[in-house]
Amino acid sequence: MSKLFLGMMTLFVIAGMPLMAQTGSLSGVVKESGTSKPVAGASVRVIRQDNAKVIKGAYSNASGKFTVNNITAGSYRVEFSSVGFKKLEKSSVSITENTTTQLDASLEQELINFNDVIVTASRKQEKVLEAPASVSVVDPIAIAERPALVPTEHLRGLPGVDFAQTGISQQTTVTRGFNNVFSGMLLTLADYRIAGVPSLRVNVPYFIPLVNDDIERMELVRGPGSALYGPNATQGVLNIISKSPFASQGTSVSVAGGERSLFNGTLRHAGTIGENFGFKISGQYMRADDWQFIDTNETSARTADSITALTSGVRNANIANRDPIHERFSIDGRTDYIINDDLKANVSAGLSQTMRSVEMTGVGAAQARDWMYYYVQGRVDYGNLFVQTFMNQSNAGDSYLLRDGAKIVDNSRLIVGRIQHSYELNEMQAFTYGADAFFTTPETEGTITGRNEDDDNITEYGGYLQSETHLFDNLLDVILAGRIDIHSRLEDPVFSPRAALVFKPNANNNFRLTFNRAYSTPSTNELFLDIVAKRNAFGFPDPFGVDIRASGVPDGGYIFDRAGGFKMRSSFSPDATIPVAGASALWGAATQLVVGGAPAAFQPLFAKLLGGIPAPGATEIGGIMALLNPTTGTFSPVTEVQDIPQLKPSTNQTIEIGYKGIAMDALQVGVDVYYSQVKDVIGSLQVFTPSVFFNSQQVGAYLKPIIKPEIKKYVMDSLGMPEAQAEAFAESTSNDIIGGYSRIPLGTVTPTDASDPTAVMLAYRNAGNIDMIGTDISLEYALGQMISVTGSYSLLRLMERDDYHDSAKITGTYISKIDGSSDFALNAPTHKASVGLRFHEREMGLRAGIQYRYNDGFKMNSGVYIGDVKHSNLVDMTLGYDLPWVSGLKLDVSATNIFDNRTQYFVGAPEIGRLVMARLGYNF
């Protein structure tokens, strides 16, 4: 293997060795127009004059200088471009043999770049207006002007983006719904590396170790993307692209401070060794007082633990032990090696560690303590060949769940290998094809995957092919793609097709009709989770405690025994299987609880009174079933129990019509209208095992005739209470006793293979099929060279289908009993909008921005968090100034939620208020 590798590398190097004969060079300096300031990182592209084919390219260095070697003699067109400047083209540039042609360039300022070059939509370079997808780009100017604490903050206000903030740095970001408290629905990449936490498949943005100064741009592709990116790209792809060391040489340091005792410091240095080796290293440290939330489930658990500790002498200090501080640091490094003009290699590595932070999960909040995340990545580009491999690793440190204090162990690992090649057959036809392999290895020591710990590895393989045909002199593009993936835990391969027609009547307009089908595989948690979400949920005395347990779905699913009616298992009789109709068998245990729960003064009376009553038969008092709402602690009666079949992948099939164009050289408009059919939706964790209670009406009919006269007689004889008052007291007290019997969860109807047969179980399921319609609109208007106005609006609605009448009803983002099984929520607003204003005067070094954001309220159902989220109206502002007395010194101030409108983005999250932060940065 090593000989083969060395041989291939030798061939690459030999093939890429410069041919000196009949070649020349091009060099020059790129500056700002009207000044002597160099433009670092400007792209220089050498294009054949006769056929518009790019043959060579380079970037300007920190002094604005560039050199392009080994250009075949001839006539060329040279393009100069850099974000924040107008593109400059110079035609008929002559290159002669063994000669260096000098060509300088002066670029004019431009606040808005209406036609960025992107790579994420098609996994190749193309202009935004030519991309066969709905795309938004966050450019370097916008990134540099906002001192964001985590990269995803730059996505606020973009069309189709659902942004939920649950702490000072804690955020979940998705596109077009399907949000959750523990979400990984938006496939998030950093330089094509999957940036989520391995195994858990959750996006934790502050685990991405890049600092703000590392980021060149962010590309967001809305809608399904599995045809090129494989599994778990059903809602979109975010690619965070970092700066090359060659195009960003120098050192930058910043210090930021603000409200909530916030401190954030960053450092970045990039340089080169010779002409072919570049490197960069960056790091940051952050600390702040986080917003706080009081979870009554945690406080109740702490109280119960304290009571238990009185007898056991053992207390779990982690229960409800929330740390009010958010503290973390990160470091990231990268090396680039240009072997020759065609062969380039890149190695990068990074580490993030969270010393303390609170994160929401589907089973309640978790306290992160010294949670570490790190990665290693290697990339090789050889002409049109791209090869990549990376490893992500997680180490949960001393983290724990807050509702029961259980320790979290996560040493999981993800290893990925990718190869891609593109081939241009001629000017009309091109192909892109490749393959991926994913190896997921969870390591939780039983704290997350429990009994499944020894059998929870996942392997995935996939391959794809995309054809791109240019017709009628590039007036019409036809894109066809397909991908097949094999998953070690799924029975059948998954096929993801893609088709697009892109009509370009001119360079400034793009009309799209696209079809995409993408899929999301069941995650490690959805397949293998086995964890206690809450211990002794009903506060029963030892040893009768009943836990709430969150479980993945095993092979074969969860099936209930229906023979002879539903049956329950009870902690009061753990070895018995009791029919729901025969709940009266637990009358004695219920009587003890009712007596124990009575006021101390009445316990002897209740013991005597109730102890002498014979246990009813099944015909006198039966059982009823009800499902627990773990957020409110209430129960909803049910008459049926739903089996949970083995999980299937969820697929998103979307038809989309889109337009993107530029009018009057100043207005950019984007409109996308889409219709999605999402099949086999995997919902969030929900309770699926009903608890069993006595039928309250039957309890009343059985007990009241016996106990009411006895209570009345007792208070009249022993306490001398008048008859009328005794009658009322006996009525009230007997009703309380009847209610006491009726409110006791006697047992749980559990599936046949439940690991804890008495526990109330939370699990995932393929909730069913939904239809979804939506619209994303974006506007950007340049008022001259210094001011721009932006706006966005998004509509998202579910369609509740009535299969009996073959019709559909348009509803909000919540459906009750989807396909008759469980509730389903997109956990996102129906309407959201933003309006922004940006100002940038480059000569003065002054910049400012303001943005208004509106989000509808919505119903939420995510794990143990169920309830309503209110609408929000928020205003953010930024202000920056290049301080004139020191070159490279700048001050930026940002204020999110400037009017301090306390906003709870999710049920169970703290209310997020204003945060004002000032950052002083120095570049040299």
Side-chain angles (χ1 to χ4, degrees), residues 154-216:
H154 295 296
L155 303 181
R156 285 174 172 161
L158 290 184
V161 171
D162 296 305
F163 178 90
Q165 186 168 357
T166 59
I168 202 159
S169 290
Q170 303 91 306
Q171 302 162 7
T172 66
T173 305
V174 300
T175 58
R176 299 179 176 178
F178 293 90
N179 209 353
N180 275 302
V181 295
F182 206 61
S183 177
M185 286 301 292
L186 177 64
L187 179 60
T188 301
L189 310 174
D191 293 323
Y192 289 111
R193 176 185 61 85
I194 296 173
V197 178
S199 174
L200 299 178
R201 201 196 295 168
V202 58
N203 294 327
V204 182
Y206 58 79
F207 273 165
I208 299 173
L210 298 174
V211 301
N212 211 58
D213 289 337
D214 279 324
I215 302 172
E216 177 182 308

Side-chain angles (χ1 to χ4, degrees), residues 43 54 151 211 222 228 254 262 305 375 400 454 501 503 509 561 608 626 694 712 750 766 779 795 812 871 915:
S43 171
V54 179
V211 301
R222 288 172 287 271
L228 294 180
S254 72
L262 183 145
D305 182 70
Y375 80 92
Y400 52 87
D454 296 330
L501 293 176
F503 175 58
N509 291 278
D561 180 9
K608 179 180 179 182
F694 289 132
K712 179 179 178 180
T750 51
N766 290 110
L779 299 170
L795 168 71
H871 73 277
L915 181 65

Side-chain angles (χ1 to χ4, degrees), residues 534-712:
K534 186 175 182 180
R535 297 194 181 278
N536 195 9
F538 308 130
F540 291 158
D542 286 339
F544 304 119
V546 176
D547 296 335
I548 299 176
R549 179 173 288 272
S551 299
V553 181
D555 292 346
Y558 286 119
I559 308 300
F560 291 89
D561 180 9
R562 288 172 165 79
F566 292 115
K567 303 171 184 65
M568 66 171 163
R569 299 290 295 272
S570 174
S571 60
F572 304 116
S573 183
D575 296 328
T577 300
I578 303 170
V580 172
S584 58
L586 298 172
W587 184 262
T591 298
Q592 294 182 32
L593 291 178
V594 171
V595 171
F602 286 91
Q603 286 186 8
L605 169 64
F606 280 24
K608 179 180 179 182
L609 178 64
L610 300 177
I613 298 175
T619 58
E620 295 171 295
I621 296 180
I624 62 171
M625 300 185 297
L627 281 175
L628 171 68
N629 179 327
T631 300
T632 63
T634 59
F635 291 85
S636 300
V638 295
T639 57
E640 182 58 58
V641 175
Q642 296 287 334
D643 293 334
I644 297 185
Q646 183 174 344
L647 291 179
K648 296 180 288 186
S650 175
T651 60
N652 181 336
Q653 187 166 283
T654 296
I655 296 175
E656 183 168 334
I657 298 174
Y659 166 75
K660 199 157 195 173
I662 300 171
M664 303 174 293
D665 293 326
L667 175 65
Q668 179 171 279
V669 179
V671 180
D672 303 300
V673 180
Y674 59 91
Y675 166 65
S676 299
Q677 289 183 325
V678 186
K679 296 183 178 181
D680 298 316
V681 172
I682 299 179
S684 58
L685 278 171
Q686 293 189 8
V687 172
F688 74 99
T689 56
S691 299
V692 178
F693 299 83
F694 289 132
N695 184 308
S696 60
Q697 292 182 340
Q698 292 177 339
V699 172
Y702 180 76
L703 271 185
K704 185 171 282 190
I706 301 174
I707 63 175
K708 182 179 176 180
E710 292 295 326
I711 295 173
K712 179 179 178 180

Side-chain angles (χ1 to χ4, degrees), residues 1 54 87 118 196 272 294 304 378 448 470 480 501 522 531 568 627 698 708 764 849 879 902 910 923:
M1 187 69 176
V54 179
K87 182 185 293 183
I118 62 170
T272 60
I294 297 176
I448 297 176
H470 308 288
L480 299 172
L501 293 176
I531 192 171
M568 66 171 163
L627 281 175
Q698 292 177 339
K708 182 179 176 180
Y764 304 90
L879 180 65
R902 295 286 173 143
N923 298 327

Side-chain angles (χ1 to χ4, degrees), residues 109-128:
Q109 300 174 17
E110 182 177 54
L111 179 61
I112 302 174
N113 186 353
F114 280 135
N115 215 347
D116 292 297
V117 175
I118 62 170
V119 295
T120 306
S122 300
R123 295 191 76 154
K124 67 181 186 64
Q125 284 197 354
E126 60 190 346
K127 294 179 180 180
V128 170

Side-chain angles (χ1 to χ4, degrees), residues 321-340:
N321 184 22
R322 288 185 176 232
D323 194 320
I325 305 298
H326 176 88
E327 185 179 19
R328 57 188 170 85
F329 77 90
S330 65
I331 187 169
D332 190 80
R334 169 175 168 173
T335 60
D336 288 14
Y337 182 40
I338 301 175
I339 301 171
N340 57 48

